[in-house]
Structure formats: C-alpha cells, structure tokens
Amino acid sequence: QVQLVQSGAEVKNPGASVKVSCKTSGYTFSGYYIHWVQQAPGQGLEWMGWISLNSGDTKSAQKFQGRVTMTRDTSISTAYMELSRLTSDDTAVYYCARDHGWHWGQGTLVTVSS
Amino acid sequence: QAVVTQEPSLTVSPGGTVTLTCGSSTGAVTNGHYPYWFQQKPGQAPRTLIYDTNNKHSWTPARFSGSLLGGKAGLTLSGAQPEDEADYYCMLSSSGDDWVWVFGGGTKLTVL
C-alpha cells in the first residue's frame, strides 16, 4: 500500500532553514506529485506547494514563494521541502501528501524558537 | 486566489444525517475543482475521505458520501457515529495553468 514516512521533529532558531523529507513506497515513485501542507498549532491546513516527481517541476503558494524549495531524489523515492528564513510563525506541523487520492505522511513538527 | 468557505461548526445527533458544504469565492464549485474532503482528529494527520467530488478510498466508511449541491461541494454523513466527531476540511483546485490548491477553514463536527 502507499506509504509516506516523514523525517523527525526539528527545533530551529529564527532565521535558519529546515529541510523535511518524505520517503515514499508502495507505488511507482515518478508518476505522481507530492504536495506539502502546513498546519500551525490550533489552526487549519494550508497548502504550500507541489513537486512533480517525474519532471521536478514545482509550484508554490504565493505565501511561501521565495522561501520554500521542493526537491526530490528519485533514486531513493524521497521528496524534500526546505523552508528558509524561519520565524516563529513557521512553527507548525508539515505534512507531505501524494496526489491522486491524497495519501498523507504522518507529519513533522517544526518548532522555531530562540 | 480563491477563498474556500466551510461552516465553522456543526452538530449532529448520533444516527443522524448532516451535510457539510464547501464553497468558492470565484463562483460555483464544479467537478473541475476536484473537490477533496479530509477528516482530522486531534493529534492525528488528516485522512482523505473523498477525492474528485465523490470517490472513496477503501478506508472511507460507507456512511460518508460526496456530491455537488447548489453550487458547492458537499460531504454528507448518514448515520453519524461518535467516532465521526472531528475536524473536516475541504480542498479545491484551481483550473487552468496554475494548479494551485486551496483548503477551506474547516468544520468542527460534534456528534451529540
């Protein structure tokens, strides 16, 4: 079955960057897109962007443009999301999800604190 | 970018029926928006219940169904169970070249 396993929790200083990984299995990696979603504490879901696992093309939400970088490594069926210039507002759980039915990872908590 | 609207909260009696709706600021929601519905319980990742308006996953309980109604996407729960108490989010895709996705603000469903 489709599985997405994300990297563990991170604590970062303001101004730093964080890179979250999303290892996939159970399907042919390259045929899909991976989406990234942010959920701040007690808040709703916010779509951040997608990456085509086939071409590497990306599209990000206006809010995150210039700060988010999405990449993938097809050799290990893993997608990555890097968010730069972190502030306390970026403290959140970050999810990856594979399209065509949206299969979700378990989430990665990123805490931004000095 | 479209704003996607949902009821902030709804209450349903056990065994009852409720419909959650999902509207778009750009106009009527259609199949071309590929409406999705997600369920999220406290401390858990979201779970996809419905995709592409009315398609279910193997894990989607039969009591949940998706539809289009009155220019909105709808999620109907027929025969509510206590375990259905959760937050429900809809998501719509923009059509055209952008392929931007937008979540609604979520509906907190209480089974009481």
Side-chain angles (χ1 to χ4, degrees):
Chain A
Q1 73 279 21
V2 177
Q3 285 195 314
L4 288 78
V5 179
Q6 299 183 225
S7 49
E10 304 260 13
V11 179
K12 296 292 183 180
N13 290 324
S17 297
V18 67
K19 191 171 186 177
V20 178
S21 68
C22 174
K23 182 168 178 58
T24 71
S25 61
Y27 71 99
T28 303
F29 181 72
S30 295
Y32 296 89
Y33 289 65
I34 292 288
H35 296 261
W36 292 91
V37 175
Q38 180 192 62
Q39 187 171 37
Q43 302 301 309
L45 303 173
E46 185 151 21
W47 179 79
M48 300 178 69
W50 54 251
I51 180 168
S52 166
L53 300 180
N54 184 34
S55 67
D57 290 344
T58 62
K59 176 73 178 180
S60 58
Q62 207 164 6
K63 174 181 177 179
F64 299 100
Q65 284 177 7
R67 284 208 306 138
V68 68
T69 303
M70 291 169 284
T71 58
R72 91 280 192 228
D73 185 339
T74 57
S75 68
I76 55 172
S77 302
T78 300
Y80 303 90
M81 185 280 297
E82 184 170 21
L83 191 62
S84 63
R85 304 194 301 276
L86 294 170
T87 72
S88 57
D89 289 342
D90 296 316
T91 293
V93 177
Y94 292 84
Y95 295 101
C96 62
R98 197 214 73 179
D99 72 336
H100 285 277
W102 275 60
H103 301 260
W104 293 76
Q106 84 277 17
T108 296
L109 174 63
V110 175
T111 303
V112 183
S113 174
S114 54
Chain B
Q1 178 172 303
V3 174
V4 177
T5 56
Q6 298 183 244
E7 299 87 358
S9 64
L10 290 171
T11 299
V12 62
S13 300
T17 296
V18 64
T19 297
L20 288 65
T21 68
C22 177
S24 173
S25 62
T26 61
V29 175
T30 69
N31 289 324
H33 290 95
Y34 302 95
Y36 275 73
W37 290 95
F38 308 102
Q39 178 192 63
Q40 188 179 35
K41 297 182 179 180
Q44 296 184 16
R47 179 174 76 149
T48 304
L49 293 178
I50 301 289
Y51 61 97
D52 297 351
T53 306
N54 55 12
N55 291 285
K56 299 181 183 182
H57 280 294
S58 58
W59 57 77
T60 304
R63 58 185 180 273
F64 289 96
S65 62
S67 64
L68 295 177
L69 65 165
K72 297 183 178 182
L75 176 70
T76 299
L77 170 57
S78 303
Q81 301 297 311
E83 61 265 30
D84 299 327
E85 186 161 298
D87 293 325
Y88 292 83
Y89 295 92
C90 72
M91 183 182 71
L92 303 177
S93 169
S94 69
S95 56
D97 296 333
D98 282 352
W99 286 112
V100 169
W101 294 81
V102 183
F103 285 96
T107 296
K108 181 169 183 57
L109 181 67
T110 301
V111 181
L112 188 61

